[in-house]
């Protein structure tokens, strides 16, 4: 799946939510999260993010690698 990283924090632009065909991007506190089991890897959200916070999981920059599990954990804790 795709994942949302640190640039989203306190931004929550939500352009990605408009683009997602399966509505798997959710608001949670200070950022948005992608539900990894629902994401169909279409990539539509990535280019519309104004702060470039969205990455395919294998392409998340090293310094934000913890956000991959943060996106998973967010939904596990619901
Ligand atoms: Fe939604 Fe596609 Fe982005 Fe996954 S890659 S979160 S399905 S828009």
């Amino acid at each position: 799946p795709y994942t949302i990283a640190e640039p989203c924090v306190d931004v929550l632009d939500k352009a990605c939510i408009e683009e997602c065909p399966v509505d798997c991007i959710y608001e949670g506190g200070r950022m948005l999260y992608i539900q990894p089991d629902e994401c169909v890897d279409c990539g539509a959200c990535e280019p519309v993010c104004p702060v470039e916070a969205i990455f395919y999981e294998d392409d998340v920059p090293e310094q934000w690698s913890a956000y991959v599990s943060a996106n998973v954990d967010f939904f596990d804790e619901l």
Side-chain angles (χ1 to χ4, degrees):
Y2 278 68
T3 198
I4 300 178
E6 188 165 287
C8 185
V9 174
D10 294 333
V11 176
L12 298 98
D13 176 82
K14 301 181 186 160
C16 56
I17 291 178
E18 301 294 314
E19 293 297 318
C20 182
V22 294
D23 294 330
C24 70
I25 305 176
Y26 299 84
E27 184 170 352
R30 296 176 63 192
M31 62 178 283
L32 305 175
Y33 295 95
I34 292 172
Q35 160 53 272
D37 296 329
E38 297 175 4
C39 176
V40 295
D41 288 350
C42 73
C45 54
E46 184 180 4
V48 301
C49 178
V51 292
E52 298 183 31
I54 306 178
F55 302 88
Y56 183 64
E57 59 183 341
D58 292 342
D59 298 328
V60 176
E62 181 76 38
Q63 71 269 31
W64 298 327
S65 58
Y67 281 86
V68 177
S69 54
N71 278 248
V72 174
D73 293 345
F74 175 74
F75 296 99
D76 284 347
E77 289 165 7
L78 290 182

